[in-house]
Each structure stands twice: as C-alpha cells, then as structure tokens.
Amino acid sequence: MNRKQKKYVNTLAPLCMIGYYTFYYSLYLSEVPFSKRTARKHLKQYEITDKNTAQDRLEWFLTTGNRREFYVLQSSLLFLSEAEAKELLSIGEDETLIAKLSAVKKYMHRLNEHSIGAFDLSSAILLTKHAQRTGLLTQKEAQSYEIRAVRLAQTMYTSWSEYLTACTAGAEFVQKSTDDQEKYLNFQKNTLIKLMASKHSPFRKIEFETSFS
C-alpha cells in the first residue's frame, strides 16, 4: 500500500473505539503504534490466542459479524406496530437483548441495507493491526485483511458520514445495557462532532472512494 492508502486504513481502524482515542488514533495511528500489551489485551477480549483464532475471528467480522444479529432483530421489529415494539422493550427481562433491540429500533430506518457492517469492518481492521503487532499475522497477511475490509467498506457505503453513522450504531448495538448505551453516546458525542467538522479530521483530507486497485 502507498502512503495515502495506509492513512486511509489507519483512519478506519479506530472508528470502533470509544472516546478521545477514536479521534486521536484517526489522526496519529501511523505515527503512534499500539503497544504489544495493549494489542494482546484487546485480542484476549475476542478470545484470540493464536494464528488460527485470529483468522477465524477476522473472517467472522468480514463475512458475518454483529450485522447478522442486527438483521435478525430488525426483521422481528418490522413486523410489530409502534405500540407493540414499545411494549416489548418495556417488559423485557434480558437487559442486553433490550439494549440491542433499542439500538435496532433507533437506527434501522437511518442505515442502508448493510446496517452496522461498518462497525464490523473497523473492528476487523483494528484486530488485524493487533494480530500483526503481536506476531500472529505477517505484514503481508495483515495487509490482505485490511484491503478486503476497505473494499467491502467502499462497496457497502458511499461516504464517510454514512460509514461513521453505521459504525456508531454498531458500537451502540454491542453495549451491554441501555445505561451503557447512554454513557457511550455521552462519551462519544464530542468525538463524532470533531470527526465530521474539525479541519484536522482525516475525513476532510481523504476521499472515501480512495482507490485500492
């Protein structure tokens, strides 16, 4: 990859993170690599311990991901009236499921047919970088996953704004409770504004349709 393509990938990777570091790493990821300790800690959260588990998890994000569950829950809500949907959310006992349903209801008419796929793709890129950093993937293998993710992103979405909205929805979808969702949004609000409006944002300097051919 050339310098421009690397910067593009480094911009996508942190969008699945939360808070200050999302914007910080979108600007400086190529100059400030993750430590091996940080990389191992993140990989452990996804039960990635060796090359095989790394490749399996990356394939899952690229081909299935959290968007599959989003689709299933969205399909169930589409058959309910507004009143029925509200009743379902008010009487549910599974806190995590209620949080997921709340996120689906909130975003399902604001996203395109690929829903929260952007969150899956940015997660795949970030995990790829961690897997390379810890020696689970070679540079060539990591670059192959990164390019696959980027090409999927450019096929599934048409702009940075559309991609970031889908990524935000995905990050909200995977929170464990509605309280956690509220905390996430409060914490992320300024970051989202800076990503879209700051003159320093990579979104203002890099074309979404940057070629990777």
Side-chain angles (χ1 to χ4, degrees), residues 47-61:
E47 300 181 344
I48 296 174
T49 56
D50 55 24
K51 186 176 188 123
N52 288 335
T53 51
Q55 291 176 326
D56 287 346
R57 177 57 71 172
L58 290 173
E59 287 295 333
W60 180 80
F61 271 118

Side-chain angles (χ1 to χ4, degrees), residues 5 49 53 61 72 87 93 110 114 150 155 160 171 197 209:
Q5 291 169 331
T49 56
T53 51
F61 271 118
V72 172
E87 182 180 6
E93 296 181 357
R110 296 168 57 185
H114 300 292
V150 168
T155 299
W160 285 118
E209 296 297 337

